DNA sequence: CATAATGTGTTACTAGCGGTAACCCGAGTC
DNA sequence: GACTCGGGTTACCGCTAGTAACACATTATG
């Protein structure tokens, strides 16, 4: 039988794969999104073609790497979302979890968010770009699912939940990106401000006296 | 005096610059964000070094191109924001303006949003990336300014307005990006859903019966 | 035991990118 | 006529993603 042999090889391949991913992780953490295949191969102590045998192309490597971090982050977010507390507290916890993650490892974050899909190569249409739902989309869909599962939104709830999921994720992302660059306030303040926004303070705010209103 | 001569040259240079930008526009509209300097030069009927003499590097060309479209879009948004109507209507008009813009010219939109900053070149740290506030930031700042000018937000209003500005822009962007890819509903529906989100319907919604609440 | 096959790795290459140095040529000027 | 000078080109550099072809070890098989 070659099944045992195949599993043996499979295991070995998986181990190598994990080693390569860890090396890639280190390089990305050091060099950011511009990490080149050469650099990653060098860090792993091997040469490029091996990387390509394992991951197909840069998109494949990106996908594998992204899936890892994405899964980890999504798990954290789910935990925050599932904590036993008031809705507002949960929202704040989720926002804070996300912001803490991007604060702790900005290089990884930038790699995930700005996958440098420019791909100087001649193959742009091939399978790069479609590799794995680029984190933002996945987060949006996940959040949409949670919203749709737990909130009573009346008719058209599914569509509404999806719009909100992507919208909220986008809000979180853009604000986080800006905050990470300028650090204009503490994380807690940012969380509170965003939660206030989601709680309708924009609609509730009064016009400034003398102004034409907004 | 050489002032007349200089203005003469200046005018000529400006004309060329505009021609080049229009050529670049055409290429970007056709090829998307991967438009190469070679392709742009070819479209303009000239060769690369001229482009580099005019714009410094790819970042400079991007900046010039982006500034153009960004200014146009920002003007449209300001108009929508300044229309004489209720706040809710203004917000909806602004959202709709943005979404209509990205719907009308998705290639340009993708070029502006995902500048392909990967920049395979060896110069990543030089001045690329810092060129011009990448649209999202500019929109965020503009919106923040409008919010801060017109709304009475109490203490810390400036910070709050900036967080909201970037957050709302991010929401609009992410939802728009997703919508543009999947087209799950009409533009009007999307606008209404987003406005509802901003109006606090998330906080106001009831828990789904039987569920643990959100 | 020799030989074929198979996985694992390398070197050396292609094609295309952003960016630049060096040259080239026509138009004015002394 | 020599001379600068702005606008243009060719030919190149160093880098990238990706690949073809070759080399070595191990293992299965005659």
């Amino acid at each position: 039988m070659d099944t045992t042999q195949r599993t043996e090889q499979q295991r070995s391949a998986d181990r190598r794969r994990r080693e390569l991913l860890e090396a890639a992780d280190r390089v990305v953490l050091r060099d950011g999104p511009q990490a080149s295949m050469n650099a990653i191969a060098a860090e792993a102590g091997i040469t490029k073609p091996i990387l390509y045998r394992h991951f197909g192309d840069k998109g494949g490597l990106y996908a594998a790497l992204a899936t890892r971090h994405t899964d980890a982050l999504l798990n954290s977010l789910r935990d925050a979302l599932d904590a036993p507390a008031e809705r507002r507290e949960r929202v704040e916890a989720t926002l804070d979890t996300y912001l803490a993650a991007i604060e702790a490892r900005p290089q990884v974050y930038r790699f995930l968010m700005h996958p440098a899909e420019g791909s100087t190569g001649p193959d742009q249409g091939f399978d790069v770009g479609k590799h794995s739902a680029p984190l933002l989309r996945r987060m949006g869909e996940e959040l949409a699912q949670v919203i749709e599962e737990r909130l009573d939104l009346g008719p058209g709830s599914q569509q509404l939940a999806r719009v909100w999921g992507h919208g909220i994720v986008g809000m979180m992302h853009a604000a986080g990106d800006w905050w990470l660059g300028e650090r204009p306030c503490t994380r807690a303040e940012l969380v509170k401000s965003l939660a206030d926004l989601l709680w309708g303070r924009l609609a509730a705010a009064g016009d400034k006296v003398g102004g034409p209103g907004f």
Side-chain angles (χ1 to χ4, degrees), chain A:
Chain A
M1 276 305 218
D2 60 352
T3 56
T4 63
Q5 202 180 39
R6 269 192 81 176
T7 57
E8 184 60 27
Q9 286 175 189
Q10 194 92 356
R11 292 182 113 205
S12 163
D14 281 5
R15 224 176 329 174
R16 282 280 192 290
R17 187 186 170 87
R18 232 167 314 175
E19 288 173 17
L20 298 187
L21 279 178
E22 273 161 34
D25 230 7
R26 263 171 280 148
V27 175
V28 165
L29 207 79
R30 171 160 42 82
D31 297 352
Q34 302 93 350
S36 80
M37 295 299 265
N38 259 325
I40 293 173
E43 171 70 29
I46 46 110
T47 50
K48 266 195 303 178
I50 303 186
L51 276 184
Y52 282 95
R53 284 226 252 272
H54 272 269
F55 300 105
D57 62 354
K58 191 171 187 162
L61 174 58
Y62 165 74
L65 212 51
T67 301
R68 259 185 152 203
H69 288 114
T70 298
D71 289 352
L73 179 56
L74 282 174
N75 285 335
S76 304
L77 292 177
R78 259 190 293 264
D79 287 349
L81 219 44
D82 281 341
E86 282 292 309
R87 191 187 300 170
R88 165 94 188 204
E89 273 181 68
R90 291 184 189 188
V91 169
E92 291 195 359
T94 306
L95 289 170
D96 192 67
T97 299
Y98 173 81
L99 294 171
I102 73 172
E103 184 181 28
R105 316 178 95 208
Q107 293 282 23
V108 170
Y109 153 71
R110 291 194 187 284
F111 173 71
L112 290 177
M113 290 305 187
H114 311 297
E117 50 191 332
S119 102
T120 173
D123 61 311
Q124 45 100 349
F126 142 68
D127 76 280
V128 179
K130 283 288 169 207
H131 35 50
S132 96
L135 184 45
L136 271 188
R137 292 293 176 90
R138 272 188 73 186
M139 288 199 296
E141 288 295 328
E142 295 262 354
L143 181 55
Q145 204 173 325
V146 172
I147 291 176
E148 213 261 330
E149 270 172 12
R150 311 204 181 177
L151 257 58
D152 183 17
L153 297 174
S157 69
Q158 193 179 346
Q159 204 128 276
L160 196 58
R162 294 187 79 202
V163 172
W164 286 8
H166 289 282
I168 293 173
V169 164
M171 178 202 78
M172 184 170 78
H173 166 235
D177 201 66
W178 162 74
W179 173 74
L180 203 58
E182 303 205 1
R183 290 303 184 100
C185 59
T186 69
R187 208 172 72 211
E189 286 169 340
L190 179 60
V191 167
K192 182 172 183 314
S193 299
L194 290 175
D196 278 352
L197 177 59
L198 287 175
W199 252 248
R201 260 192 72 189
L202 173 72
D207 290 337
K208 210 151 199 171
V209 290
F214 170 43

